[in-house]
Amino acid sequence: MKPALLASLSLLALSAAQAQPTWIEAESFANPGGWVLDTQFIDVMGSPYLMAHGMGKPVKDAETEVELPAGEYTMWARTKNWVGPWDAKGSPGRFEISVNGEKLKQEFGATGKNWQWEKSGPVKVKAGKAKIALHDLTGFDGRVDAIVLSNDASFKPSNDFAETGKLRRQLLGLPEKAPETEEYDLVVIGGGYSGMGAAISGARQSLKVAFIQNRPVLGGNGSSEIQVWAMGGTRRGLYPHLGEIVEEFADRASNSPAADPQEFNDKLKEDTVKAEKSIGLFLNTHVYGVEMDKDGKNIRSVIGLDTKSGKETRFVGKLFVDCTGHGSVGALAGAEFMMEEKGRMGMSNMWVMKNLEKPVSWPKTPWSLQMTLEDFPEPRPLAPVGKKNAANMSGYDLGYTPVPNPEEYVHGEWFWESGFDKHPINDLELIRDHNFRAVYGAVSALKTLKADKYADWDLTWLAYIGGPRESRRIVGDMILNGEDMVKGIIHPDGCVPTTWDQDLHYPKEQYAKNFPDNPFISRAEFGKHTDRKNGYPVPYRCFYSKDIGNLFMAGRTISVERHALGSTRVMRTCGMMGEVVGKAAWICVRHHTTPRGVYEQYLDILKDLMSKPGAMRRDTLEADLYMPANAKKLPDLAAAAEAEGGIDPKKLEGLVIDDTEAELTGKWAHGEGLKPYIGKHYSYGSDKGASARFAFSVKESGSYDVRIFFQPHENRGKSVSVTVLSADGEKALQVNQTKAPTLPQGAYSLGTFKFTAGEEAAVIFRTANAGGNVHLDAVQVLPAK
């Protein structure tokens, strides 16, 4: 053989021996087993990843196969010791990797503080398909982003964020410029209530819609993954048809969180979207980039990453809606936004425990927050079905079978919240992981320090997807402030009714003492009240960017100062914003204008569209609206208004004295947030000298059951003084109003008392030494049975 030919063959052999490394995305494993896909932190750490979220029980292996030439390989896995940033004891996220059934000696996820490449090997494989498996060791949230196999011993991937991204693109063979779609009329980014409202509303106006969501389910905070109730009143105010689309897919859950996550009805949400033929639904797609037009003032496309395959797509559109919650699209496009440096509302990860009626072991968690029982509120039992969410459930098909024994469950609710002074985007993974440490620490405390009660209880659900409340808000042509809402200043483009009070969250001082760096239990501070019956109409000018010509916003990204955000951020309200944006987008396309142009030139057309039923649609851009024969029927407005909370006292048995008829002394406030309630509202107060006298007289002498109505809350008094004046004199009682009444509609029996016909009797509440707010709703007097 000639020397030159021999040299060429030697080079080819060397090249084959040192082939390009093989990149395996963890999220693309053919069988994820019990590992879950986490996409929340792509903008922070560069990628989706798999996580072993077993809540203390190792999950099933994730497995995949990869074609490899025979040889000896070094394996690198990009992973993280998630408690490393706190120098916590131990490593809860440990896992192993096996190749063709042989486990590597290395335990991954046990060292370091940040995402890093960990090395193991050598690994010898035969030519053909190699089976790779991730073997969880703890059940406590081990995580892996990617695996690289290289037969070049000198190869070492960089831990740098940008370099990792370059390597990923190179080894996956991704093109420098992602392929693009045909042009959509409307591209909606974010699959929560606001995104759903915008996509469905736009489609019913005949727009071609791309609907992009980075999770496998729709609903955002109102999905089975997070389980936040959808709050906010719909179908009222200036445009009572707004909210009809929202009510087609809104949850009717009995609790938040519920015993069964499916009460949040992900299927209903997806089916409602898929029923619209002009919507292209792109689940598991994360938008991480924006391309601008040549003028730099309009978005041409957004770049979406398929969170399972790693492939990218450019979604081209005429108009875009940022429903991401974090204002990500607006920020990428260069829009001005607002965001407080500190003191923001945080992110919640709620949880549920169940009584299994047999002893359940719980592993030691030295890496969790080490707590006593005084460091957190004991989890509360689930409310009986319909007790707390009766307004939202009334008249609707629930879409689920209620859990028969809710008393077998307790839950950690919305106030398990942290990150108040952390960066709401850059620190997001740390905020979620801090919540993990808090919940696992609380369960450990309950299982060890209160074993007499919790020996048989187990953690059955913990949200690994967080529910954030406050980050970027994109600046529009108007910034709505909270004082306008309080004063009732109605702007000419006012539309979406916001009915929630100005509710901001802060660390609860009682539980923050031992964890001042990042408290994890919050309290709600309600500011000025909003008109709950009619709602305050949020202006349309808050729903589009002042800088980017074709960018709408809906949801908590809209243009409001933070006190107004405290009211507008709840989900049903956000969904109605989407409804308005979908209608405005049709005006933009039909009349060749911009979101700002709708306000300046076509506001009357928008008002007309907002006055139409949500089920109406048109078949082409130029066609008239019509009501389809198969439109979903909703409960009528009168029934819905009654379900909103106010139970007519006249519809109750016996003698009913509402709080509006009580003789009040001292300082009392009125509320409508806790449902159901009797009459127009309930009253509450904690002023030490306050009292309330519910006077009455019976028509016939005899024995009567005396009941009071209230709804429980953690800020209620545990020892509320209630005195009954009867024919037998005075009887003083104490009522714990933090616990749910056992009778329907929030009724609680004080006992049986004798009353004489025609003589004045009374039930008197006093706030002194109550230990919290005293709740007054109504008193009911019934003949004793």
Side-chain angles (χ1 to χ4, degrees), residues 332-350:
L332 288 166
E336 182 181 346
F337 61 84
M338 303 170 279
M339 186 169 70
E340 275 66 34
E341 291 186 8
K342 290 188 175 183
R344 292 173 302 271
M345 290 181 282
M347 180 171 76
S348 294
N349 291 82
M350 300 189 291

Side-chain angles (χ1 to χ4, degrees), residues 112-408:
K113 296 187 177 184
N114 299 302
W115 282 94
Q116 62 180 4
W117 289 100
E118 295 189 47
K119 179 182 178 182
S120 187
V123 180
K124 291 184 178 180
V125 300
K126 297 178 181 179
K129 289 185 177 179
K131 182 178 180 181
I132 307 223
L134 306 177
H135 179 65
D136 174 33
L137 296 174
T138 69
F140 282 122
D141 306 296
R143 53 200 71 178
V144 57
D145 166 25
I147 293 170
V148 172
L149 289 164
S150 174
N151 63 358
D152 178 0
S154 65
F155 171 80
K156 182 179 180 180
S158 170
N159 286 326
D160 179 74
F161 178 97
E163 290 301 317
T164 296
K166 289 180 183 178
L167 183 65
R168 174 181 279 110
R169 298 186 68 84
Q170 174 191 334
L171 297 186
L172 290 179
L174 297 177
E176 280 301 312
K177 198 163 188 178
E180 65 180 34
T181 64
E182 58 185 321
E183 186 178 56
Y184 287 91
D185 294 317
L186 183 65
V187 180
V188 181
I189 306 98
Y193 271 59
S194 57
M196 292 185 68
I200 295 169
S201 175
R204 290 180 181 177
Q205 297 294 329
S206 79
L207 299 182
K208 185 176 181 181
V209 179
F211 188 19
I212 306 172
Q213 162 72 328
N214 67 359
R215 298 299 306 155
V217 298
L218 297 169
N221 283 351
S223 70
S224 65
E225 295 185 320
I226 304 175
Q227 293 200 62
V228 177
W229 267 337
M231 292 299 184
T234 58
R235 307 170 68 195
R236 66 194 64 216
L238 299 175
Y239 305 98
H241 287 298
L242 289 181
E244 290 179 345
I245 291 176
V246 171
E247 294 302 344
E248 291 183 32
F249 61 75
D251 74 80
R252 313 291 165 196
S254 63
N255 282 273
S256 174
D260 181 0
Q262 292 313 309
E263 289 191 15
F264 285 79
N265 214 335
D266 298 336
K267 184 178 184 301
L268 172 64
K269 294 176 174 65
E270 187 168 333
D271 288 349
T272 305
V273 168
K274 287 184 173 179
E276 303 299 331
K277 303 306 180 187
S278 65
I279 295 179
L281 178 61
F282 301 91
L283 297 173
N284 296 303
T285 303
H286 178 78
V287 168
Y288 76 93
V290 164
E291 283 186 326
M292 304 298 290
D293 277 346
K294 291 181 180 179
D295 62 8
K297 295 181 179 178
N298 289 275
I299 299 172
R300 182 182 182 275
S301 67
V302 294
I303 306 170
L305 169 74
D306 186 310
T307 58
K308 290 188 172 181
S309 70
K311 293 181 179 178
E312 299 173 346
T313 303
R314 287 182 293 152
F315 294 88
V316 181
K318 297 172 182 165
L319 298 156
F320 297 81
V321 194
D322 189 332
C323 301
T324 62
H326 290 304
S328 302
V329 176
L332 288 166
E336 182 181 346
F337 61 84
M338 303 170 279
M339 186 169 70
E340 275 66 34
E341 291 186 8
K342 290 188 175 183
R344 292 173 302 271
M345 290 181 282
M347 180 171 76
S348 294
N349 291 82
M350 300 189 291
W351 50 284
V352 176
M353 292 182 75
K354 182 181 181 181
N355 186 350
L356 301 183
E357 299 183 348
K358 60 181 180 181
V360 180
S361 62
W362 176 255
K364 293 183 178 180
T365 60
W367 39 265
S368 68
L369 297 186
Q370 301 303 293
M371 293 191 275
T372 68
L373 296 175
E374 287 69 42
D375 288 325
F376 62 96
E378 186 173 353
R380 294 190 296 215
L382 270 63
V385 173
K387 175 76 73 169
K388 297 175 80 174
N389 205 20
N392 292 337
M393 298 166 71
S394 177
Y396 293 91
D397 178 11
L398 300 183
Y400 64 88
T401 301
V403 171
N405 301 307
E407 67 276 4
E408 294 178 356

Side-chain angles (χ1 to χ4, degrees), residues 10-177:
S10 298
L11 286 171
L12 286 171
L14 180 63
S15 175
Q18 296 182 347
Q20 181 170 267
T22 298
W23 181 289
I24 308 166
E25 290 279 22
E27 55 269 24
S28 68
F29 266 44
N31 175 16
W35 295 64
V36 297
L37 179 64
D38 197 329
T39 61
Q40 300 168 95
F41 316 116
I42 296 174
D43 298 328
V44 180
M45 52 74 64
S47 173
Y49 58 81
L50 286 186
M51 184 166 68
H53 187 58
M55 295 172 289
K57 299 175 183 63
V59 304
K60 291 182 180 179
D61 290 0
E63 300 174 338
T64 199
E65 290 184 337
V66 60
E67 195 82 31
L68 290 172
E72 186 173 277
Y73 291 83
T74 301
M75 175 178 284
W76 295 87
R78 188 171 187 242
T79 183
K80 183 181 185 180
N81 172 23
W82 65 270
V83 299
W86 297 280
D87 294 319
K89 295 179 181 178
S91 305
R94 293 175 291 110
F95 64 95
E96 296 173 329
I97 301 177
S98 67
V99 180
N100 291 328
E102 183 178 342
K103 291 179 183 176
L104 306 183
K105 295 180 180 180
Q106 170 88 4
E107 279 191 3
F108 295 87
T111 63
K113 296 187 177 184
N114 299 302
W115 282 94
Q116 62 180 4
W117 289 100
E118 295 189 47
K119 179 182 178 182
S120 187
V123 180
K124 291 184 178 180
V125 300
K126 297 178 181 179
K129 289 185 177 179
K131 182 178 180 181
I132 307 223
L134 306 177
H135 179 65
D136 174 33
L137 296 174
T138 69
F140 282 122
D141 306 296
R143 53 200 71 178
V144 57
D145 166 25
I147 293 170
V148 172
L149 289 164
S150 174
N151 63 358
D152 178 0
S154 65
F155 171 80
K156 182 179 180 180
S158 170
N159 286 326
D160 179 74
F161 178 97
E163 290 301 317
T164 296
K166 289 180 183 178
L167 183 65
R168 174 181 279 110
R169 298 186 68 84
Q170 174 191 334
L171 297 186
L172 290 179
L174 297 177
E176 280 301 312
K177 198 163 188 178

